[in-house]
Amino acid sequence: MGPGLFLALLLLAPSGRAETAAGLDAQGVDPRAAIENSWGLDVRDAQGRSVTREKVLADLKGAAVKRAAANAFTSSLPKAQTVLSALELLAEAAAAFRMAGDLLAIPELLPGLPGGRPKLAILWCLALAAATMSVTFCCRPQTKLALSRSRQSSIEVLRC
């Protein structure tokens, strides 16, 4: 092997190299199109890179692993996991209330009510009180009240 053959191989090597596939970083292409590509079409992004199913699934798996690693922790506090789950539930509830507030559009409904304009905080407090009372009355345990006990059901000491 001479230096000429070695130089020729070096010049041809970059052109023979396979192109790098794009995954979730594909620009101008929905990565789901590569995943749901049942006809086997060549899906390419705006930069001309091939978007493959394997690369997209590998990127999704890597993102899920990174998220799980970021969420996983150990704490020396005894109730840390309970507090974390309560905070996550509180965040989800706040998002649900924001979405419900956007859907109901209470400020747009208030001018149509007769009389003066009621305060929004009072309406929310009334709704919260009604929900709390309904849960309290529906979910409380039934107590059995014994008005009088018969003499036969009580314990008596027998003397001989």
Side-chain angles (χ1 to χ4, degrees):
M1 288 203 172
L5 182 59
F6 184 68
L7 182 62
L9 287 174
L10 282 176
L11 291 175
L12 293 176
S15 63
R17 197 171 5 147
E19 64 183 354
T20 58
L24 292 177
D25 59 340
Q27 298 175 356
V29 173
D30 187 9
R32 288 180 293 178
I35 293 174
E36 299 168 357
N37 188 4
S38 60
W39 290 347
L41 298 174
D42 185 24
V43 180
R44 296 198 172 264
D45 69 346
Q47 296 176 350
R49 299 179 296 172
S50 176
V51 182
T52 62
R53 174 186 174 99
E54 293 79 21
K55 179 69 174 165
V56 171
L57 291 176
D59 286 353
L60 283 174
K61 186 176 181 181
V65 168
K66 285 181 185 176
R67 173 131 174 124
N71 289 341
F73 72 94
T74 58
S75 175
S76 60
L77 298 175
K79 301 286 184 182
Q81 186 63 33
T82 306
V83 171
L84 178 66
S85 61
L87 288 175
E88 289 176 350
L89 183 63
L90 183 64
E92 290 176 6
F97 275 119
R98 268 187 260 117
M99 187 173 67
D102 292 342
L103 292 177
L104 293 178
I106 291 178
E108 294 174 5
L109 297 175
L110 292 179
L113 294 175
R117 183 179 167 121
K119 293 185 179 180
L120 189 59
I122 294 173
L123 290 177
W124 280 114
C125 288
L126 288 174
L128 184 62
T132 305
M133 289 175 54
S134 65
V135 168
T136 303
F137 288 127
C138 291
C139 298
R140 70 178 178 174
Q142 297 296 326
T143 58
K144 295 181 181 176
L145 182 62
L147 296 176
S148 64
R149 300 181 104 192
S150 68
R151 196 171 177 96
Q152 295 172 350
S153 65
S154 62
I155 298 174
E156 293 183 13
V157 178
L158 298 177
R159 297 185 184 171
C160 298

